[in-house]
Amino acid sequence: GAGVSQTPSNKVTEKGKYVELRCDPISGHTALYWYRQSLGQGPEFLIYFQGTGAADDSGLPNDRFFAVRPEGSVSTLKIQRTERGDSAVYLCASSLTSSGQMGSYNEQFFGPGTRLTVL
Amino acid sequence: GDSVTQMEGPVTLSEEAFLTINCTYTATGYPSLFWYVQYPGEGLQLLLKATKADDKGSNKGFEATYRKETTSFHLEKGSVQVSDSAVYFCALSDWFSGGYNKLIFGAGTRLAVHP
């Protein structure tokens, strides 16, 4: 079946511009995560959605970053007034909803990422 | 806060050599531990996991044992192949009361295997 897809695969923009990055999760996955991977680093958590709501946005670096998931499927990460330091690969992952049992884990399936370059 | 430290790369090996990539973690709770792999041009894939102390995760000839006493989760493979060339990420996840898992990754270790 189809995995997680992300568009565009590459985005080059100028400092100060607005960008939108899209994530299509695996069908039926209600949990969706965004991560950011800077060059030479591991991915860092940005935000988690359960259904349509952002249940944890503690990783968003500042208020220029915002994400939505209006129908509980596709998600869009929005970055306003981009800065050169925003250049990174933005990863999306989806998973089934947790059983709620403490310590349980549902595998997160990652998309190929969007490489954002801010000039 | 929680963190993961893994050995710096690149690690360069000949085919059929033994592989160890060290990983240690700091966590306040009882995390699950993972190794993810990123092959060239592909997305992150879960390689193996362990959810409690002394568990051994294994897949594709790779193994890692969750050692609570040394807070480690070292990745090993007895005989690497050229096709194992990739970047390997150690990660941990604490379970949150909302029923979700936030992954915390190490910086990654690039492995290059030569024929």
Side-chain angles (χ1 to χ4, degrees):
Chain A
V4 178
S5 62
Q6 293 186 245
T7 54
S9 55
N10 280 285
K11 176 70 177 178
V12 179
T13 191
E14 293 179 343
K15 181 175 178 296
K17 299 290 189 183
Y18 168 83
V19 297
E20 290 189 350
L21 312 178
R22 176 187 167 108
C23 171
D24 277 272
I26 293 172
S27 178
H29 281 189
T30 56
L32 186 145
Y33 303 78
W34 284 98
Y35 294 84
R36 178 169 72 172
Q37 186 175 12
S38 300
L39 190 63
Q41 301 298 315
E44 294 178 306
F45 170 82
L46 294 178
I47 187 169
Y48 159 71
F49 285 90
Q50 178 55 44
T52 60
D56 183 348
D57 64 358
S58 62
L60 294 179
N62 52 60
D63 62 7
R64 295 186 298 104
F65 289 75
F66 189 71
V68 296
R69 196 185 184 200
E71 297 178 358
S73 179
V74 170
S75 177
T76 304
L77 179 65
K78 308 181 181 195
I79 311 174
Q80 298 178 320
R81 304 183 304 279
T82 51
E83 300 178 357
R84 292 194 181 89
D86 299 334
S87 297
V89 176
Y90 289 81
L91 299 171
C92 176
S94 70
S95 75
L96 294 169
T97 302
S98 169
S99 65
Q101 185 176 16
M102 186 172 180
S104 63
Y105 175 76
N106 285 313
E107 181 178 348
Q108 293 180 31
F109 294 85
F110 283 80
T114 293
R115 182 175 299 277
L116 175 66
T117 303
V118 182
L119 301 177
Chain B
D2 294 357
S3 66
V4 175
T5 303
Q6 59 182 108
M7 62 188 286
E8 290 187 22
V11 173
T12 304
L13 295 173
S14 298
E15 206 164 24
E16 299 184 4
F18 183 84
L19 168 71
T20 299
I21 300 178
N22 291 337
C23 171
T24 57
Y25 68 91
T26 302
T28 52
Y30 300 93
S32 296
L33 301 175
F34 310 88
W35 278 99
Y36 276 80
V37 59
Q38 191 169 37
Y39 297 104
E42 298 186 18
L44 276 170
Q45 301 174 26
L46 179 63
L47 179 60
L48 54 84
K49 70 177 188 289
T51 57
K52 60 182 188 298
D54 299 325
D55 269 3
K56 177 185 283 189
S58 61
N59 186 26
K60 299 181 180 180
F62 290 89
E63 291 183 341
T65 302
Y66 188 164
R67 301 285 188 202
K68 193 166 184 286
E69 64 275 15
T70 54
T71 62
S72 65
F73 193 56
H74 305 320
L75 182 68
E76 296 183 336
K77 187 175 185 183
S79 175
V80 294
Q81 305 299 312
V82 172
S83 58
D84 293 327
S85 299
V87 182
Y88 292 82
F89 293 92
C90 185
L92 68 79
S93 171
D94 261 330
W95 182 89
F96 288 82
S97 61
Y100 66 102
N101 305 99
K102 188 171 15 182
L103 289 168
I104 296 171
F105 288 88
T109 303
R110 182 176 298 279
L111 170 66
V113 181
H114 298 290

